[in-house]
C-alpha cells in the first residue's frame, strides 16, 4: 500500500486489509510505504488514527517508511492510492515484471474508472472518513479476488 507520506492513506489501507485478512484466516503480509521521505519514522496522522479507531482498526503501531526498489521483490502486489503515487512507483520499476505488480487500488472496487483515494492531509475530518470508506470497499474487493484465485 503506497501513498505520498505514509501517514494517512497507506497505513490505513494496511490496517484495514490486514485486519480483514486475519479475520478470514488468510495468511498474507500487508505493508505500507510512502513515495516521499518527508515523514519517515512518524506515527500515522492523529486524524487518521482517530478515524480508524472509531471503526475498530488500530494503526497506532505503524511507522512511516519510504518505498524502495527492494519492495518489488518483497511483494506480489503494489497498490498506489493515486495516479501521482502510481507514476512515482513505476519510475522506480526495473523491468516489466516490476511494473505488472503495480496498480491503482480503487481499480479493484471500481474497475476501469481511474478513481483515486483523495489526499486528506490538507482538508477536514470528512476527508478521512471518505478515505476510510473507499479503502474498506477496496479491501473487500481484494480479498474476494484472493478467495477466487484471481490475485
Ligand atoms: P498521505 O497524506 O500521502 O496519505 O500520507 C499526506 C501526508 C503528508 C503530506 C501530504 C499527504 N505532506 O505534504 O506532508
Amino acid at each position: 500500500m503506497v501513498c505520498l507520506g505514509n501517514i494517512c492513506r497507506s497505513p490505513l489501507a494496511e490496517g484495514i486489509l490486514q485486519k480483514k485478512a486475519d479475520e478470514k484466516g488468510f495468511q498474507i503480509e500487508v505493508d505500507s510505504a510512502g513515495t516521499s521521505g518527508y515523514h519517515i519514522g512518524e506515527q500515522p496522522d492523529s486524524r487518521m488514527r482517530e478515524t480508524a479507531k472509531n471503526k475498530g482498526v488500530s494503526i497506532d503501531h505503524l511507522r512511516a517508511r519510504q518505498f524502495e526498489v527492494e519492495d518489488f521483490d518483497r511483494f506480489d502486489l503494489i497498490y498506489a492510492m493515486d495516479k501521482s503515487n502510481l507514476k512515482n512507483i513505476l519510475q522506480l520499476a526495473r523491468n516489466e515484471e516490476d511494473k505488472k505488480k503495480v496498480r491503482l487500488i480503487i481499480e479493484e472496487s471500481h474497475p476501469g474508472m481511474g478513481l483515486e483515494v483523495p489526499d486528506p492531509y490538507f482538508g477536514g475530518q470528512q476527508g478521512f472518513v471518505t478515505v476510510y470508506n473507499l479503502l474498506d470497499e477496496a479491501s473487500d474487493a481484494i480479498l474476494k479476488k484472493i478467495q477466487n484465485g484471481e490475485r
Side-chain angles (χ1 to χ4, degrees):
M1 301 297 182
V2 184
C3 62
L4 176 63
N6 193 211
I7 55 168
C8 296
R9 294 165 291 177
S10 61
L12 183 69
E14 175 184 344
I16 294 176
L17 185 62
Q18 190 71 70
K19 179 167 187 266
K20 286 179 187 280
D22 291 348
E23 285 168 358
K24 284 180 182 285
F26 289 4
Q27 304 216 336
I28 61 171
E29 184 193 349
V30 189
D31 197 4
S32 64
T35 55
S36 79
Y38 303 151
H39 296 279
I40 290 173
E42 290 181 23
Q43 207 176 18
D45 186 285
S46 59
R47 298 164 294 176
M48 197 78 266
R49 284 190 276 128
E50 189 64 25
T51 303
K53 203 166 288 174
N54 288 341
K55 303 278 191 178
V57 179
S58 177
I59 55 170
D60 294 357
H61 59 292
L62 301 178
R63 295 295 179 271
R65 72 175 181 90
Q66 190 166 17
F67 182 84
E68 54 191 9
V69 171
E70 290 74 22
D71 287 317
F72 288 112
D73 299 323
R74 289 179 59 208
F75 298 98
D76 302 312
L77 292 168
I78 297 167
Y79 286 112
M81 298 296 126
D82 65 31
K83 291 172 187 170
S84 165
N85 310 146
L86 184 80
K87 187 174 150 218
N88 289 327
I89 298 164
L90 289 174
Q91 275 168 353
L92 293 173
R94 299 158 298 184
N95 50 45
E96 284 307 310
E97 200 180 326
D98 286 355
K99 286 183 190 168
K100 271 195 281 183
K101 295 184 173 186
V102 189
R103 56 202 69 188
L104 271 180
I105 191 165
I106 304 301
E107 283 296 301
E108 297 286 24
S109 43
H110 299 277
M113 298 183 70
L115 295 176
E116 304 176 289
V117 183
D119 181 350
Y121 192 68
F122 294 105
Q125 191 62 34
Q126 183 55 41
F128 289 83
V129 176
T130 299
V131 167
Y132 186 93
N133 292 334
L134 284 167
L135 291 174
D136 188 52
E137 193 178 40
S139 296
D140 286 338
I142 291 168
L143 289 175
K144 198 174 279 181
K145 288 183 181 184
I146 291 174
Q147 204 154 15
N148 293 337
E150 297 168 37
R151 287 286 179 267

